[in-house]
Amino acid sequence: MDELLLRSLTPGVLAVLVRRGADFAAAEDAVQDALVAAARVWPGDTPRDPKGWLVTVAWRRFLDAARADASRRRREDRLDEEPAPGPAPAVDDTLQLYFLCAHPSLTPSSAVALTLRAVGGLTTRQIARAYLVPETTMAQRISRAKRTVSGVRFDRPGDVSTVLRVLYLVFNEGYFGDVDLAAEAIRLTRQLAAAIDHPEVAGLLALMLLHHARRASRTAPDGSLVPLAEQDRGRWDTGMIAEGVEILQAALARDRLGEFQAQAAVAALHADAPTAEETDWVQIVEWYDELAGLTDSPVVRLNRAVAVGEADGPRAGLAELAALSDSLPRHTAVAAYLHERDGDLPAAARLYAEAAHKAPTLAERDHLTRQAARINAERG
């Protein structure tokens, strides 16, 4: 069975059920039941219309659950008659569903978490990692969000900023994580940019394109990570970079700076450098200053410490790093890199090994382990 096909169909099926009157939590449960049924039936008999099949089965499961719940009998009387099986219209409802999940009754952080789980296809662990919180904390947050919207009609879409945050995190998980969601995030952000004239929508699209342009060079043939400074820049997609820069310049010209535009400016400076040595780190530090003022994010300050270490020397970077909590993800890896640049190889090797134990992904762990081994070999 094609898991990617199921993943691509899930948002549309969920949207159909919501439009027909199902509350979100019950619709999600029904769709999950339909996916389980598909996993059992499709390997031996894949339907000609997979989405129509899923809609029919999910709708039946929703009706069965509604009838079994005595506390919802009044709402059951208002349900539409069960639709006859048949082809479902080829309409992409995904972006609309993102807006519906950003419901005004939810806080922005809860809306983002719920949408990432229900529509974006991310696991609770992946969402927790993106938010820098324990998995149990995120599971509780998602459960509370589901309870909040249970029984609520999704007829008041949320605001653009919440949807942008969801798309940003979906792209990051696709770009840095185990599930390939980056292309889907770009597709949806293009749709949003075509529908809404907003500089931050443009900024997010530019950021995605500039990062995605480097994707082919981020891993070696054996799957190992290739740091930015060592990537083959001849493999970067220059057409995508040019498009991203053009979109970014138009957004910046409107003088309504936001965090996604600032992040895209950093990515553009990396993309503009012919070699790693020619990177304009001074400008990158300035953009991180802007970004820190907009977000006050500890992750931004961690990235700024790296940039300061490149612009003003590793000891300046270590001084910036000392002001940050060592509990931050990748803090130890940054410390290892800056100590290596400063010539303190024993500390660098120790910190690379320590960072490897904390790495959130297998690829990062292997990369950091190799870094520690390399330095130990150099020391003899």
Side-chain angles (χ1 to χ4, degrees), residues 272-320:
D272 187 55
T275 66
E277 293 72 24
E278 295 174 87
T279 303
D280 190 343
W281 286 106
V282 173
Q283 272 205 72
I284 288 176
V285 171
E286 292 173 355
W287 276 111
Y288 274 127
D289 287 339
E290 293 278 2
L291 193 53
L294 290 166
T295 67
D296 196 29
S297 163
V299 175
V300 169
R301 297 189 183 280
L302 182 67
N303 291 333
R304 182 183 179 278
V306 176
V308 169
E310 299 288 355
D312 300 329
R315 294 194 179 182
L318 286 168
E320 295 288 335

Short mmCIF file of all heavy atoms in Angstrom, two decimals, residues 272-320:
data_model
loop_
_atom_site.label_atom_id
_atom_site.label_comp_id
_atom_site.label_asym_id
_atom_site.label_seq_id
_atom_site.Cartn_x
_atom_site.Cartn_y
_atom_site.Cartn_z
N ASP A 272 24.00 33.73 -1.87
CA ASP A 272 24.70 34.68 -2.73
C ASP A 272 26.22 34.50 -2.70
O ASP A 272 26.91 34.97 -3.60
CB ASP A 272 24.35 36.11 -2.29
CG ASP A 272 24.89 37.16 -3.24
OD1 ASP A 272 24.60 37.08 -4.45
OD2 ASP A 272 25.63 38.06 -2.77
N ALA A 273 26.73 33.83 -1.68
CA ALA A 273 28.19 33.69 -1.54
C ALA A 273 28.71 32.62 -2.50
O ALA A 273 28.27 31.47 -2.44
CB ALA A 273 28.54 33.32 -0.11
N PRO A 274 29.68 32.97 -3.39
CA PRO A 274 30.24 31.96 -4.31
C PRO A 274 30.92 30.81 -3.58
O PRO A 274 30.89 29.67 -4.04
CB PRO A 274 31.24 32.76 -5.15
CG PRO A 274 30.82 34.19 -4.99
CD PRO A 274 30.25 34.30 -3.62
N THR A 275 31.54 31.11 -2.44
CA THR A 275 32.18 30.10 -1.61
C THR A 275 31.83 30.37 -0.16
O THR A 275 31.40 31.48 0.19
CB THR A 275 33.72 30.11 -1.76
OG1 THR A 275 34.23 31.36 -1.24
CG2 THR A 275 34.13 29.95 -3.22
N ALA A 276 32.06 29.37 0.70
CA ALA A 276 31.77 29.56 2.12
C ALA A 276 32.62 30.68 2.71
O ALA A 276 32.16 31.45 3.57
CB ALA A 276 32.02 28.26 2.88
N GLU A 277 33.87 30.79 2.24
CA GLU A 277 34.79 31.80 2.76
C GLU A 277 34.34 33.22 2.41
O GLU A 277 34.72 34.17 3.09
CB GLU A 277 36.20 31.57 2.23
CG GLU A 277 36.88 30.30 2.73
CD GLU A 277 36.29 29.03 2.13
OE1 GLU A 277 35.69 29.12 1.02
OE2 GLU A 277 36.42 27.96 2.74
N GLU A 278 33.55 33.36 1.35
CA GLU A 278 33.11 34.69 0.91
C GLU A 278 31.75 35.09 1.50
O GLU A 278 31.19 36.11 1.12
CB GLU A 278 33.04 34.73 -0.61
CG GLU A 278 34.40 34.56 -1.30
CD GLU A 278 34.27 34.46 -2.80
OE1 GLU A 278 34.26 35.51 -3.48
OE2 GLU A 278 34.20 33.32 -3.31
N THR A 279 31.24 34.30 2.42
CA THR A 279 29.95 34.63 3.05
C THR A 279 30.06 35.94 3.83
O THR A 279 31.02 36.16 4.56
CB THR A 279 29.53 33.50 4.01
OG1 THR A 279 29.46 32.27 3.30
CG2 THR A 279 28.17 33.80 4.63
N ASP A 280 29.07 36.80 3.67
CA ASP A 280 29.05 38.10 4.35
C ASP A 280 28.49 37.92 5.76
O ASP A 280 27.31 38.20 6.03
CB ASP A 280 28.21 39.10 3.55
CG ASP A 280 28.35 40.53 4.06
OD1 ASP A 280 28.81 40.70 5.21
OD2 ASP A 280 28.00 41.46 3.32
N TRP A 281 29.34 37.46 6.67
CA TRP A 281 28.89 37.16 8.03
C TRP A 281 28.51 38.42 8.80
O TRP A 281 27.65 38.36 9.69
CB TRP A 281 29.96 36.38 8.78
CG TRP A 281 30.07 34.96 8.32
CD1 TRP A 281 31.05 34.41 7.54
CD2 TRP A 281 29.14 33.90 8.59
NE1 TRP A 281 30.79 33.08 7.31
CE2 TRP A 281 29.63 32.74 7.95
CE3 TRP A 281 27.96 33.83 9.33
CZ2 TRP A 281 28.96 31.52 8.02
CZ3 TRP A 281 27.29 32.61 9.40
CH2 TRP A 281 27.79 31.47 8.75
N VAL A 282 29.12 39.54 8.48
CA VAL A 282 28.77 40.79 9.18
C VAL A 282 27.31 41.13 8.93
O VAL A 282 26.55 41.46 9.86
CB VAL A 282 29.70 41.94 8.74
CG1 VAL A 282 29.21 43.26 9.33
CG2 VAL A 282 31.14 41.65 9.16
N GLN A 283 26.88 41.04 7.67
CA GLN A 283 25.47 41.31 7.36
C GLN A 283 24.56 40.27 8.00
O GLN A 283 23.45 40.59 8.45
CB GLN A 283 25.24 41.32 5.84
CG GLN A 283 25.46 42.67 5.19
CD GLN A 283 24.66 42.78 3.90
OE1 GLN A 283 23.43 42.88 3.92
NE2 GLN A 283 25.36 42.74 2.77
N ILE A 284 25.01 39.02 8.04
CA ILE A 284 24.19 37.97 8.64
C ILE A 284 23.97 38.26 10.13
O ILE A 284 22.86 38.10 10.65
CB ILE A 284 24.84 36.59 8.42
CG1 ILE A 284 24.71 36.20 6.94
CG2 ILE A 284 24.20 35.53 9.32
CD1 ILE A 284 25.38 34.90 6.58
N VAL A 285 25.02 38.71 10.83
CA VAL A 285 24.86 39.09 12.24
C VAL A 285 23.83 40.21 12.36
O VAL A 285 22.98 40.19 13.27
CB VAL A 285 26.21 39.52 12.84
CG1 VAL A 285 26.00 40.13 14.23
CG2 VAL A 285 27.17 38.34 12.93
N GLU A 286 23.88 41.18 11.46
CA GLU A 286 22.93 42.29 11.51
C GLU A 286 21.49 41.80 11.33
O GLU A 286 20.56 42.28 12.00
CB GLU A 286 23.29 43.33 10.45
CG GLU A 286 24.61 44.06 10.74
CD GLU A 286 25.03 44.96 9.59
OE1 GLU A 286 24.36 44.93 8.53
OE2 GLU A 286 26.04 45.68 9.75
N TRP A 287 21.31 40.85 10.42
CA TRP A 287 19.96 40.32 10.22
C TRP A 287 19.51 39.50 11.43
O TRP A 287 18.33 39.53 11.80
CB TRP A 287 19.89 39.48 8.94
CG TRP A 287 19.68 40.31 7.71
CD1 TRP A 287 20.55 40.53 6.70
CD2 TRP A 287 18.49 41.04 7.39
NE1 TRP A 287 20.00 41.37 5.76
CE2 TRP A 287 18.74 41.69 6.16
CE3 TRP A 287 17.26 41.23 8.01
CZ2 TRP A 287 17.78 42.50 5.53
CZ3 TRP A 287 16.31 42.03 7.39
CH2 TRP A 287 16.57 42.65 6.17
N TYR A 288 20.44 38.79 12.06
CA TYR A 288 20.07 38.07 13.29
C TYR A 288 19.71 39.05 14.40
O TYR A 288 18.84 38.76 15.24
CB TYR A 288 21.18 37.14 13.73
CG TYR A 288 21.12 35.78 13.06
CD1 TYR A 288 22.22 35.25 12.40
CD2 TYR A 288 19.95 35.02 13.10
CE1 TYR A 288 22.16 34.00 11.79
CE2 TYR A 288 19.88 33.78 12.50
CZ TYR A 288 20.98 33.27 11.85
OH TYR A 288 20.91 32.04 11.24
N ASP A 289 20.35 40.21 14.43
CA ASP A 289 19.96 41.24 15.39
C ASP A 289 18.51 41.67 15.15
O ASP A 289 17.73 41.83 16.10
CB ASP A 289 20.89 42.45 15.29
CG ASP A 289 22.28 42.18 15.86
OD1 ASP A 289 22.41 41.24 16.67
OD2 ASP A 289 23.23 42.89 15.47
N GLU A 290 18.16 41.88 13.89
CA GLU A 290 16.78 42.23 13.55
C GLU A 290 15.83 41.11 13.98
O GLU A 290 14.76 41.36 14.56
CB GLU A 290 16.65 42.46 12.04
CG GLU A 290 17.39 43.67 11.51
CD GLU A 290 16.62 44.95 11.71
OE1 GLU A 290 15.52 44.92 12.29
OE2 GLU A 290 17.12 46.01 11.27
N LEU A 291 16.22 39.88 13.68
CA LEU A 291 15.37 38.73 13.97
C LEU A 291 15.19 38.55 15.48
O LEU A 291 14.09 38.25 15.95
CB LEU A 291 15.98 37.48 13.35
CG LEU A 291 15.13 36.22 13.26
CD1 LEU A 291 13.80 36.50 12.58
CD2 LEU A 291 15.90 35.15 12.49
N ALA A 292 16.26 38.75 16.24
CA ALA A 292 16.16 38.64 17.70
C ALA A 292 15.21 39.70 18.26
O ALA A 292 14.47 39.44 19.21
CB ALA A 292 17.54 38.77 18.32
N GLY A 293 15.24 40.90 17.66
CA GLY A 293 14.32 41.93 18.10
C GLY A 293 12.87 41.62 17.79
O GLY A 293 11.97 42.03 18.52
N LEU A 294 12.65 40.86 16.73
CA LEU A 294 11.28 40.51 16.33
C LEU A 294 10.73 39.33 17.13
O LEU A 294 9.53 39.26 17.39
CB LEU A 294 11.24 40.16 14.83
CG LEU A 294 11.45 41.32 13.85
CD1 LEU A 294 11.73 40.78 12.45
CD2 LEU A 294 10.20 42.21 13.83
N THR A 295 11.59 38.39 17.51
CA THR A 295 11.10 37.14 18.09
C THR A 295 11.59 36.88 19.51
O THR A 295 10.94 36.14 20.25
CB THR A 295 11.55 35.95 17.24
OG1 THR A 295 12.98 35.81 17.31
CG2 THR A 295 11.14 36.14 15.79
N ASP A 296 12.73 37.44 19.88
CA ASP A 296 13.36 37.14 21.17
C ASP A 296 13.48 35.63 21.38
O ASP A 296 13.29 35.11 22.49
CB ASP A 296 12.56 37.75 22.33
CG ASP A 296 13.37 37.79 23.63
OD1 ASP A 296 14.62 37.88 23.54
OD2 ASP A 296 12.76 37.71 24.71
N SER A 297 13.82 34.92 20.31
CA SER A 297 13.90 33.46 20.35
C SER A 297 15.30 33.02 20.78
O SER A 297 16.30 33.49 20.23
CB SER A 297 13.59 32.88 18.97
OG SER A 297 14.02 31.54 18.86
N PRO A 298 15.41 32.08 21.73
CA PRO A 298 16.73 31.57 22.11
C PRO A 298 17.42 30.84 20.97
O PRO A 298 18.65 30.83 20.89
CB PRO A 298 16.43 30.64 23.29
CG PRO A 298 14.99 30.31 23.19
CD PRO A 298 14.34 31.49 22.55
N VAL A 299 16.65 30.22 20.08
CA VAL A 299 17.25 29.53 18.93
C VAL A 299 17.88 30.55 17.99
O VAL A 299 18.96 30.32 17.43
CB VAL A 299 16.19 28.68 18.20
CG1 VAL A 299 16.78 28.07 16.93
CG2 VAL A 299 15.67 27.58 19.12
N VAL A 300 17.22 31.69 17.80
CA VAL A 300 17.80 32.76 16.98
C VAL A 300 19.11 33.23 17.59
O VAL A 300 20.11 33.44 16.89
CB VAL A 300 16.81 33.94 16.85
CG1 VAL A 300 17.50 35.16 16.23
CG2 VAL A 300 15.62 33.52 15.99
N ARG A 301 19.15 33.37 18.91
CA ARG A 301 20.37 33.84 19.57
C ARG A 301 21.48 32.79 19.48
O ARG A 301 22.67 33.14 19.42
CB ARG A 301 20.06 34.20 21.02
CG ARG A 301 19.06 35.35 21.13
CD ARG A 301 18.91 35.87 22.54
NE ARG A 301 17.90 36.93 22.59
CZ ARG A 301 18.13 38.20 22.25
NH1 ARG A 301 19.34 38.56 21.85
NH2 ARG A 301 17.16 39.10 22.32
N LEU A 302 21.10 31.54 19.45
CA LEU A 302 22.10 30.48 19.26
C LEU A 302 22.71 30.58 17.86
O LEU A 302 23.93 30.52 17.69
CB LEU A 302 21.45 29.12 19.46
CG LEU A 302 22.38 27.90 19.34
CD1 LEU A 302 23.39 27.89 20.47
CD2 LEU A 302 21.56 26.61 19.34
N ASN A 303 21.86 30.76 16.86
CA ASN A 303 22.36 30.93 15.49
C ASN A 303 23.20 32.20 15.36
O ASN A 303 24.19 32.24 14.62
CB ASN A 303 21.19 30.96 14.51
CG ASN A 303 20.50 29.62 14.38
OD1 ASN A 303 21.11 28.58 14.60
ND2 ASN A 303 19.22 29.64 14.06
N ARG A 304 22.79 33.24 16.09
CA ARG A 304 23.56 34.48 16.05
C ARG A 304 24.96 34.27 16.63
O ARG A 304 25.93 34.85 16.14
CB ARG A 304 22.82 35.57 16.84
CG ARG A 304 23.52 36.93 16.81
CD ARG A 304 22.80 37.95 17.68
NE ARG A 304 23.49 39.23 17.64
CZ ARG A 304 24.56 39.53 18.38
NH1 ARG A 304 25.05 38.61 19.21
NH2 ARG A 304 25.14 40.71 18.28
N ALA A 305 25.07 33.44 17.67
CA ALA A 305 26.38 33.17 18.26
C ALA A 305 27.32 32.54 17.23
O ALA A 305 28.51 32.86 17.18
CB ALA A 305 26.23 32.26 19.47
N VAL A 306 26.78 31.65 16.40
CA VAL A 306 27.58 31.05 15.33
C VAL A 306 28.05 32.12 14.36
O VAL A 306 29.22 32.17 13.96
CB VAL A 306 26.79 29.96 14.59
CG1 VAL A 306 27.60 29.41 13.41
CG2 VAL A 306 26.40 28.83 15.52
N ALA A 307 27.11 33.00 13.97
CA ALA A 307 27.44 34.05 13.01
C ALA A 307 28.49 35.01 13.59
O ALA A 307 29.41 35.43 12.88
CB ALA A 307 26.18 34.82 12.62
N VAL A 308 28.35 35.36 14.87
CA VAL A 308 29.35 36.21 15.52
C VAL A 308 30.71 35.52 15.52
O VAL A 308 31.76 36.15 15.29
CB VAL A 308 28.92 36.57 16.95
CG1 VAL A 308 30.05 37.23 17.72
CG2 VAL A 308 27.70 37.49 16.93
N GLY A 309 30.72 34.21 15.77
CA GLY A 309 31.97 33.46 15.76
C GLY A 309 32.65 33.49 14.40
O GLY A 309 33.88 33.46 14.31
N GLU A 310 31.86 33.56 13.34
CA GLU A 310 32.42 33.65 11.99
C GLU A 310 32.85 35.08 11.66
O GLU A 310 33.87 35.29 11.01
CB GLU A 310 31.39 33.17 10.96
CG GLU A 310 30.95 31.72 11.11
CD GLU A 310 32.04 30.73 10.71
OE1 GLU A 310 33.10 31.16 10.22
OE2 GLU A 310 31.83 29.52 10.91
N ALA A 311 32.08 36.05 12.11
CA ALA A 311 32.36 37.44 11.76
C ALA A 311 33.49 38.03 12.61
O ALA A 311 34.35 38.75 12.09
CB ALA A 311 31.10 38.28 11.92
N ASP A 312 33.49 37.73 13.91
CA ASP A 312 34.43 38.38 14.84
C ASP A 312 35.41 37.42 15.50
O ASP A 312 36.19 37.84 16.36
CB ASP A 312 33.63 39.10 15.94
CG ASP A 312 32.70 40.16 15.38
OD1 ASP A 312 33.05 40.75 14.35
OD2 ASP A 312 31.63 40.38 15.97
N GLY A 313 35.36 36.14 15.12
CA GLY A 313 36.27 35.17 15.69
C GLY A 313 35.58 34.25 16.68
O GLY A 313 34.57 34.61 17.28
N PRO A 314 36.13 33.03 16.85
CA PRO A 314 35.46 32.03 17.69
C PRO A 314 35.31 32.43 19.14
O PRO A 314 34.33 32.05 19.79
CB PRO A 314 36.35 30.79 17.53
CG PRO A 314 37.66 31.31 17.06
CD PRO A 314 37.35 32.51 16.23
N ARG A 315 36.24 33.19 19.69
CA ARG A 315 36.11 33.57 21.10
C ARG A 315 34.94 34.53 21.31
O ARG A 315 34.26 34.48 22.35
CB ARG A 315 37.42 34.18 21.60
CG ARG A 315 38.54 33.15 21.63
CD ARG A 315 39.75 33.59 22.41
NE ARG A 315 40.76 32.55 22.40
CZ ARG A 315 41.91 32.62 23.02
NH1 ARG A 315 42.22 33.70 23.73
NH2 ARG A 315 42.77 31.62 22.96
N ALA A 316 34.71 35.39 20.34
CA ALA A 316 33.53 36.27 20.42
C ALA A 316 32.25 35.44 20.36
O ALA A 316 31.28 35.70 21.08
CB ALA A 316 33.55 37.29 19.29
N GLY A 317 32.26 34.41 19.51
CA GLY A 317 31.11 33.52 19.44
C GLY A 317 30.89 32.76 20.73
O GLY A 317 29.75 32.60 21.20
N LEU A 318 31.98 32.28 21.36
CA LEU A 318 31.86 31.57 22.63
C LEU A 318 31.34 32.49 23.73
O LEU A 318 30.59 32.05 24.61
CB LEU A 318 33.21 30.98 23.02
CG LEU A 318 33.65 29.75 22.21
CD1 LEU A 318 35.12 29.44 22.47
CD2 LEU A 318 32.78 28.55 22.57
N ALA A 319 31.72 33.76 23.69
CA ALA A 319 31.21 34.72 24.68
C ALA A 319 29.70 34.89 24.53
O ALA A 319 28.97 34.97 25.53
CB ALA A 319 31.93 36.05 24.52
N GLU A 320 29.22 34.96 23.29
CA GLU A 320 27.77 35.04 23.06
C GLU A 320 27.08 33.76 23.52
O GLU A 320 26.01 33.80 24.12
CB GLU A 320 27.49 35.27 21.57
CG GLU A 320 27.99 36.58 21.01
CD GLU A 320 27.16 37.76 21.50
OE1 GLU A 320 25.98 37.56 21.85
OE2 GLU A 320 27.71 38.88 21.52
#
